[in-house]
Amino acid sequence: MIIGGHLSTKEGFGKLPELAVGIGFNTYQFFSKNQMQWKSKPIDDKSAQEHIENMRKFNIAKPAIHASYLLNLGSPEDSKRQQSYNAFLDEILRANKLGVEILIFHPGAHMGSGTKKALDNIVEGMNRAIEETKDLKVKLTVENTAGQGTVVGSTIEDLQYIKDGIEQKGRIGFCIDTCHAFQAGYNLNEKYNEVFDDFVSSLGKDMILAFHLNDSKPPFNKHLDRHEMLGKGHLSKEFFVNLLTDSRWKDVPFYLETPEGEEGYPKDLDFIRKLGIKI
């Protein structure tokens, strides 16, 4: 099983692999910059090289970067969409420099312009970014959303629309957040096989590059993005067993994004072990 969590970079990028292994992980996710600021400090060559070397040293598999929360490639306002695009392009270049091939991002919100217009803007931005970074291996990995407010990307149909509009499909993928899917109306507790058969048939198994492994604080189908510690929310033990023993995902990384962060991850891992799943 490839399992990790979102980690802090306060000790530097090069320390991430050792920190992950110390928790009991073999992968991890992180921000390459302050997620709530547009501007970012350039990554120095020494720091990037240290990260790449230590990933190899500590046998880290498939780490991911989560892009800034400020990005909205679906914005109806040209200036804000361009600002998001510039920051998105920078995220891709930063991921490449750090040796990370999975860049996870929230697709965006329509802000009153309608879902289709936002999705078309997102597709346009992704195609443009792929063309501008055509020599890179970084995969633009769209995360499903909880459907809060005017945010798009909460349905399989939205995600498939994005996939269908991308010209170079080898450069994209999807990250399925378990809390978000449950909140978006996919009954993971009672219809696990049906839901994930739909994800696979619509997106393709090989397009599902990662999972955000979270429990849900609110009950089913409230469209609220509020994560909970594993086993403490409204997702069932049976769901977690079904997901974590599904052979389709044996090579797909799972990243925890639970509320207690690094201090709480050992509890999440203990929950998984108590389900009888070897980590």
Side-chain angles (χ1 to χ4, degrees):
M1 182 178 178
I2 305 175
I3 180 82
H6 189 96
L7 301 180
S8 168
T9 59
K10 61 185 178 183
E11 294 184 44
F13 298 123
K15 292 289 186 181
L16 288 169
E18 184 177 3
L19 175 60
V21 170
I23 294 171
F25 294 153
N26 52 15
T27 192
Y28 51 86
Q29 174 186 272
F30 63 104
F31 294 122
S32 79
K33 49 166 282 189
N34 187 315
Q35 74 275 19
M36 298 305 292
Q37 293 181 7
W38 287 108
K39 293 184 178 180
S40 58
K41 180 182 177 181
I43 300 170
D44 66 83
D45 294 343
K46 182 180 178 182
S47 179
Q49 191 58 36
E50 184 181 8
H51 181 251
I52 291 169
E53 290 174 358
N54 284 340
M55 282 196 299
R56 200 174 299 121
K57 176 181 176 181
F58 289 95
N59 296 313
I60 297 299
K62 301 182 179 181
I65 287 175
H66 197 301
S68 169
Y69 292 141
L70 298 177
L71 299 182
N72 183 9
L73 293 176
S75 175
E77 297 184 37
D78 291 346
S79 61
K80 290 184 178 179
R81 194 168 63 254
Q82 183 63 45
Q83 185 179 36
S84 290
Y85 176 80
N86 292 342
F88 185 53
L89 189 62
D90 184 51
E91 293 271 14
I92 298 169
L93 298 175
R94 292 169 74 86
N96 180 68
K97 186 164 187 174
L98 288 164
V100 176
E101 294 187 9
I102 299 174
L103 176 66
I104 298 170
F105 68 102
H106 298 171
H110 64 70
M111 309 299 288
S113 65
T115 298
K116 185 180 184 301
K117 178 62 176 175
L119 293 175
D120 286 339
N121 285 339
I122 292 161
V123 166
E124 189 276 334
M126 290 176 67
N127 277 327
R128 183 178 163 198
I130 290 168
E131 179 60 26
E132 286 200 49
T133 62
K134 57 188 175 184
D135 296 327
L136 306 187
K137 295 180 179 179
V138 179
K139 295 206 173 187
L140 313 188
T141 307
V142 182
E143 179 179 348
N144 67 310
T145 66
Q148 194 165 338
T150 69
V151 168
V152 300
S154 65
T155 68
I156 292 174
E157 290 77 16
D158 281 3
L159 301 179
Q160 184 175 6
Y161 189 94
I162 292 172
K163 184 197 80 168
D164 290 346
I166 299 301
E167 295 163 7
Q168 297 182 48
K169 291 181 173 54
R171 284 287 307 280
I172 70 161
F174 298 90
C175 172
I176 308 303
D177 185 299
T178 54
C179 171
H180 296 177
F182 188 66
Q183 283 303 304
Y186 294 99
N187 196 334
L188 305 181
N189 290 340
E190 298 179 11
K191 298 181 178 180
Y192 173 83
N193 289 323
E194 180 180 324
V195 169
F196 280 99
D197 286 350
D198 284 349
F199 270 111
V200 168
S201 64
S202 297
L203 305 179
K205 185 181 79 69
D206 293 341
M207 283 277 190
I208 299 175
L209 301 182
F211 282 90
H212 282 161
L213 187 62
N214 303 304
D215 210 328
S216 173
K217 189 179 289 290
F220 177 60
N221 199 25
K222 298 297 183 184
H223 301 283
L224 297 173
D225 183 357
R226 297 179 188 168
H227 301 181
E228 182 56 283
M229 303 292 292
L230 301 191
K232 300 294 185 181
H234 289 272
L235 285 167
S236 67
K237 288 183 179 180
E238 182 181 15
F239 160 68
F240 287 111
V241 170
N242 285 335
L243 180 69
L244 299 176
T245 59
D246 191 327
S247 62
R248 289 176 292 188
W249 319 129
K250 68 182 179 66
D251 296 321
V252 178
F254 290 86
Y255 311 111
L256 294 161
E257 291 182 327
T258 47
E260 295 180 21
E262 291 165 29
E263 292 184 4
Y265 290 149
K267 299 177 190 176
D268 292 320
L269 294 179
D270 188 54
F271 171 81
I272 294 171
R273 292 188 187 99
K274 286 180 177 177
L275 295 176
I277 296 167
K278 185 177 179 181
I279 298 176

